[in-house]
Amino acid sequence: MTERAPVLSVRGLSVRFLMPGGRRVAAVTDAHFDVAAGECLALIGESGCGKSVLASALLGLLPGNAQTAGRALLGDLDLLAADERTLARTVRGRLIGLVPQSPAAHLTPVRTVRAHLEETVAQLTGTRDGRRALRAAAEAAAERAAFPLDHLDHHPHELSGGLAQRAATALALVGDAPLLLADEPTTGLDRDLVERTVDELRRHVDHAEGGGARHDDGRALLMITHDLAAAERIADRVAVMYAGRIVELADATAFFGTPGPRHPYSRGLLDALPDRAFAPIPGLPPELGALPDGCAFAARCDRATDACAALPPLRDHVACHHPHAVLTEATDRA
């Protein structure tokens, strides 16, 4: 079977923030990954590891003191090299739909949710069939994200955090963009709404029509999340980030099931879940402005040795000197 072409191909993406006094903060270092057509890649890791910075780099939304390196190809377009005009008029909303981490901050405070949706529908879909058609399209977009129609005429300050999250999701889905970038899309939602929201994001990728048939039209989803249950529900693959580096890339079924993650940090994330060992990872992540020369996880790792004083390369999809072995279920029980 021929592999599907990537919608997004990231090679060597690094982000450095230049701070007062000449100090540099290594927020993202040498990220390599693809997101294929019809695929959901879940990017997971503790707060402050660089996940949202990576997302901002793809959209050209980094502050002025940021320096980027590497490539991020969306089709033939290198997002890191694109100018602001291209990003604003071609990329954001049209080629990349964003569910932002802080949705209330991305909504204009003096406009209702309905006004946000109608303007977005008009701009991204070209609906010009009159006011009634525009209104109907905006309401259909709200329903996709489970946003209640009786709240459409509310302003952002009148919304709960969960409602603001659903409004942002509705806006992100309007353009049917080739790449959907969802940064913590389940924040503030109860479990039923979490499942409905991530299922809708998944449908955006699968683009199923009638009878459950799958019609791949080149869409992909990059979901940044702390919610491992949501990631397990919809992800095809998992990328684990720690201290600005991607330390493991794995098939989601193997990652959440058998044989499980290979990197000790990844195993620690799963073991911390209440329905697993409920055992937190000891210690704290290092400051991104003061990373060690070797493995950044070594100080928290019970498998660390002197070899970990050297930086481990990403080999066989895991960056670790002492990864867990790939075992079959039968061998693991022996």
Side-chain angles (χ1 to χ4, degrees):
M1 181 178 177
T2 303
E3 288 189 6
R4 292 166 291 177
V7 172
L8 175 68
S9 182
V10 173
R11 294 292 179 270
L13 171 58
S14 296
V15 179
R16 300 287 183 270
F17 292 112
L18 305 182
M19 308 301 288
R23 190 168 66 93
R24 292 172 180 260
V25 174
V28 179
T29 300
D30 200 27
H32 286 68
F33 63 89
D34 291 335
V35 191
E39 179 182 44
C40 169
L41 176 66
L43 181 60
I44 66 174
E46 290 168 293
S47 295
C49 70
K51 304 186 302 298
S52 293
V53 172
L54 188 152
S56 295
L58 297 177
L59 288 161
L61 296 176
L62 293 171
N65 66 330
Q67 292 184 336
T68 61
R71 304 176 74 193
L73 296 177
L74 186 66
D76 296 327
L77 176 64
D78 186 352
L79 297 171
L80 302 185
D83 57 31
E84 175 58 26
R85 181 184 177 89
T86 300
L87 291 167
R89 298 197 174 190
T90 304
V91 174
R92 299 178 196 133
R94 291 174 170 82
L95 295 180
I96 301 179
L98 172 66
V99 181
Q101 186 176 30
S102 302
H106 287 73
L107 298 172
T108 304
V110 297
R111 307 193 69 194
T112 65
V113 177
R114 186 187 301 278
H116 280 88
L117 281 169
E118 290 185 355
E119 180 183 23
T120 303
V121 167
Q123 289 293 321
L124 299 186
T125 70
T127 299
R128 296 288 188 272
D129 297 329
R131 181 69 182 175
R132 182 174 297 178
L134 193 61
R135 184 184 182 92
E139 291 179 355
E143 289 180 328
R144 284 181 70 183
F147 188 91
L149 299 187
D150 59 358
H151 283 61
L152 279 174
D153 294 313
H154 289 188
H155 291 82
H157 73 273
E158 299 175 292
L159 304 178
S160 66
L163 283 175
Q165 188 71 52
R166 281 181 269 171
T169 302
L171 289 164
L173 292 170
V174 166
D176 286 328
L179 177 65
L180 193 60
L181 203 167
D183 192 355
E184 300 292 353
T186 60
T187 300
L189 305 181
D190 61 35
R191 184 48 50 182
D192 287 344
L193 280 173
V194 165
E195 293 179 355
R196 177 166 176 174
T197 297
V198 296
D199 287 350
E200 188 59 53
L201 298 178
R202 181 77 231 192
R203 275 190 288 274
H204 172 86
V205 174
D206 291 342
H207 195 47
E209 298 174 354
R214 178 173 173 143
H215 299 274
D216 177 13
D217 65 350
R219 297 181 192 171
L221 169 63
L222 175 59
M223 183 172 74
I224 295 168
T225 186
H226 289 99
D227 189 338
L228 298 187
E232 183 177 8
R233 185 176 179 89
I234 69 165
D236 298 294
R237 288 190 304 137
V238 177
V240 182
M241 181 171 272
Y242 184 77
R245 291 181 179 271
I246 292 178
V247 297
E248 184 167 9
L249 281 161
D251 173 80
T253 301
F255 185 89
F256 290 107
T258 301
R262 298 189 63 205
H263 197 285
Y265 173 65
S266 306
R267 292 227 168 181
L269 289 177
L270 291 189
D271 286 344
L273 295 176
D275 59 345
R276 301 211 182 200
F278 206 24
I281 302 173
L284 296 171
E287 293 290 334
L288 294 177
L291 293 175
D293 293 331
C295 175
F297 187 62
R300 308 172 72 188
C301 182
D302 60 7
R303 299 169 71 90
T305 67
D306 291 344
C308 302
L311 188 67
L314 187 67
R315 186 178 293 123
D316 295 328
H317 306 298
V318 60
C320 181
H321 292 295
H322 308 293
H324 290 270
V326 177
L327 303 176
T328 64
E329 188 172 2
T331 304
D332 204 25
R333 288 198 302 263

